[in-house]
Amino acid sequence: MPTLLEKQFFADVIDLPIQIYGIVRAISADSITIKGLSGRAKIGDQIDISAKDGQTVRTEVIRIDQQDVVVTPYGQLTGLSLGAKAVYLGPQEPRPCWGWVGKVLDHTGRGLDGGYPVQGGEIYPLNSVPPINRKAIGKRLDTGLAAIDTFLPLCRGQRLGLFAGSGVGKSTLLADLAKSNQADVVILALVGERGREVREFTEKALGEVGMKKSIVFVATSDEPPALKLRAALLAMASAEYFRDQGKHVLLLFDSLTRFAEAHRSVALSAGETPSLRAYPPSTFQALAQLCERAGPGSVGSGDITAVFSVLVAGSNMEEPVADMVRGILDGHIILDRDIAERGRYPAIDIRRSVSRSLPECASGTENQHLTHARRLIGAYENARTLISAGLYQAGSDQLLDEAVVKYETLDEFMTLKQRGNAADSFAALEAILQDRENSGVGKEQV
């Protein structure tokens, strides 16, 4: 019979947490090979590796071989050496809840002050399956931005792409959407942003009003690619949590391009073969899977209305990421640098932008006004060079004559931020097209 002391000893041993660990056998610039965990680890699981300086490097499993596991680090590799102990942690899934609203969080759900907000009672996997029985796209939303409420309507559950280069007003437009939209919760994923701009965006562009119902997930440009991917997936998982609570979620994702670049780095570290512009095939599948998770929920749940920004260098819409995303999403808004440089914000190029919720979400009269306004804008911009050179002669083209008269007013209309709803924006547009005096254009501008 064991003594009382022996019984206590065995009880303490049984209560100790079991640690499963392997040994580091190879280190490269962006990946680490670990021996001894291939029979236990799964893709996406996390492993802690002990460095010589006493620090611990958190890593994520990206490839599993017969004998080894390949991981990508979440931090710097300084201090790591061959033979270092690697402790298997398993999956580390988030537990989002309402306590996260109003917070700025990193890839782990930790606040910028280093503390963790309250955790929910249910795990939401970072990589989930989209609902099968989706509802149809819902009603048109009032964003407060006249150009979007009329020419490029955003409907509940729609997924829209915002294509822009740097410095043309992308962040400002996203902040306007966050502050004016009617969603219950706004989730912003800032993937690869410069650290200085994160604070400016949350405190100035978004402001106190915007933050009241927002959660901001941040992975700055200097952080490893694996962290950027995790922050993006954490934002999507959190949006799914609130959607399943029956809420309407507005997801603002900035940007898909940096998400794709981070995925490319991780995939190449895992040994995948690069193809188009060095992107491996799995990157485009990852983009499709991410975007597909947004949208209308199943019957009885809420919806995720998403705006995904895409960086286009030199306004090149044929870049691999931009070209693919256009076919996935339910429309695209293109911000043009030439428009921004002449001082018109938001710098939306109406001719090249489209919302696939039209014509269904607008009435017959509204669609007629939109078609006519697009024709006027197109006629003027096609003849802009002739008009600027003084070669245009009135009377040669009836549509162009009307465009010359109304173009400046239409251009001003694109800058309006209405305090009312989409109906007010359509009323202002109709007044312009019918050339009413005292139409009110510009009076509601904020």
Side-chain angles (χ1 to χ4, degrees):
M1 291 287 293
T3 65
L4 182 62
L5 184 60
E6 289 173 332
K7 287 182 179 179
Q8 184 62 49
F9 171 78
F10 288 122
D12 291 341
V13 170
I14 291 173
D15 288 339
L16 287 174
I18 298 175
Q19 282 193 342
I20 302 171
Y21 64 92
I23 300 297
V24 173
R25 60 176 293 177
I27 302 174
S28 65
D30 48 14
S31 66
I32 304 165
T33 303
I34 300 172
K35 182 180 180 180
L37 296 176
S38 58
R40 168 78 60 169
K42 300 179 292 296
I43 297 295
D45 286 354
Q46 294 186 3
I47 295 173
D48 274 351
I49 303 176
S50 300
K52 285 186 175 181
D53 57 2
Q55 299 297 317
T56 299
V57 178
R58 181 67 53 91
T59 66
E60 181 178 320
V61 178
I62 59 175
R63 192 181 80 199
I64 304 172
D65 295 332
Q66 189 69 29
Q67 301 293 331
D68 300 322
V69 168
V70 178
V71 298
T72 186
Y74 283 173
Q76 299 295 325
L77 300 182
T78 306
L80 288 187
S81 62
L82 297 181
K85 182 179 178 180
V87 179
Y88 175 70
L89 302 177
Q92 303 292 309
E93 305 287 14
R95 297 175 180 266
C97 67
W98 283 97
W100 291 16
V101 177
K103 303 271 192 309
V104 181
L105 307 176
D106 67 5
H107 64 282
T108 65
R110 180 178 56 187
L112 296 186
D113 58 357
Y116 282 92
V118 62
Q119 300 293 301
E122 185 177 357
I123 290 176
Y124 262 72
L126 292 179
N127 294 283
S128 65
V129 179
I132 299 175
N133 300 317
R134 289 185 181 273
K135 298 175 292 186
I137 289 178
K139 65 177 183 179
R140 183 173 63 197
L141 301 175
D142 297 323
T143 67
L145 304 172
I148 294 179
D149 286 345
T150 53
F151 290 95
L152 303 164
L154 180 63
C155 294
R156 179 168 173 149
Q158 188 174 353
R159 299 169 303 186
L160 202 63
L162 179 61
F163 294 75
S166 58
V168 294
K170 170 176 55 65
S171 297
T172 301
L173 181 55
L174 289 175
D176 286 339
L177 289 172
K179 288 185 288 188
S180 64
N181 199 273
Q182 305 154 318
D184 299 309
V185 181
V186 179
I187 292 182
L188 297 99
L190 303 180
V191 180
E193 282 286 345
R194 287 169 286 186
R196 175 183 57 82
E197 290 189 342
V198 170
R199 185 160 190 168
E200 289 182 359
F201 184 87
T202 54
E203 294 184 358
K204 296 181 180 179
L206 200 56
E208 184 178 352
V209 174
M211 279 299 298
K212 282 184 178 179
K213 60 178 181 179
S214 300
I215 310 174
V216 182
F217 294 95
V218 176
T220 54
S221 58
D222 61 323
E223 292 185 307
L227 292 190
K228 297 174 185 176
L229 292 183
R230 187 173 177 85
L233 297 176
L234 178 58
M236 184 61 75
S238 300
E240 290 171 332
Y241 165 79
F242 290 106
R243 178 202 64 196
D244 293 345
Q245 300 293 313
K247 303 302 180 182
H248 177 209
V249 182
L250 175 65
L251 172 65
L252 303 176
F253 193 102
D254 186 18
S255 69
L256 279 181
T257 304
R258 296 193 186 107
F259 173 86
E261 291 170 349
H263 187 276
R264 176 178 60 187
S265 297
V266 172
L268 294 179
S269 298
E272 291 194 39
T273 304
S275 54
L276 183 61
R277 299 280 183 93
Y279 286 104
S282 65
T283 295
F284 299 103
Q285 180 64 21
L287 283 170
Q289 289 173 343
L290 180 73
C291 295
E292 187 62 26
R293 289 169 64 178
S298 56
V299 176
S301 66
D303 305 296
I304 301 175
T305 303
V307 179
F308 296 96
S309 75
V310 181
L311 299 174
V312 285
S315 300
N316 179 17
M317 293 295 293
E318 306 306 318
E319 287 185 335
V321 175
D323 190 42
M324 180 190 177
V325 168
R326 271 185 308 181
I328 299 173
L329 302 178
D330 307 317
H332 52 272
I333 297 174
I334 298 177
L335 301 185
D336 186 82
R337 188 170 301 277
D338 291 338
I339 295 175
E341 287 176 349
R342 61 181 174 86
R344 197 256 275 171
Y345 291 97
I348 299 174
D349 187 338
I350 293 297
R351 292 196 303 169
R352 299 168 62 202
S353 303
V354 64
S355 172
R356 293 181 185 170
S357 62
L358 284 175
E360 287 79 9
C361 72
S363 66
T365 301
E366 289 172 343
N367 280 314
Q368 289 178 4
H369 291 328
L370 293 176
T371 301
H372 186 52
R374 281 183 177 273
R375 292 180 62 208
L376 292 177
I377 293 171
Y380 184 91
E381 293 186 351
N382 287 336
R384 184 189 295 273
T385 303
L386 293 176
I387 296 171
S388 300
L391 301 178
Y392 158 73
Q393 291 185 349
S396 58
D397 186 316
Q398 184 176 358
L399 181 65
L400 184 55
D401 291 344
E402 183 182 0
V404 170
V405 173
K406 298 178 179 178
Y407 180 81
E408 287 189 8
T409 312
L410 284 172
D411 199 50
E412 181 186 356
F413 171 80
M414 302 300 174
T415 69
L416 296 186
K417 297 180 181 179
Q418 300 280 17
R419 293 191 180 93
N421 52 33
D424 296 328
S425 296
F426 269 108
L429 178 62
E430 181 182 7
I432 295 172
L433 297 178
Q434 294 183 358
D435 200 21
R436 295 175 184 167
E437 294 184 358
N438 302 319
S439 64
V441 174
K443 295 182 179 180
E444 296 295 329
Q445 191 171 4
V446 202

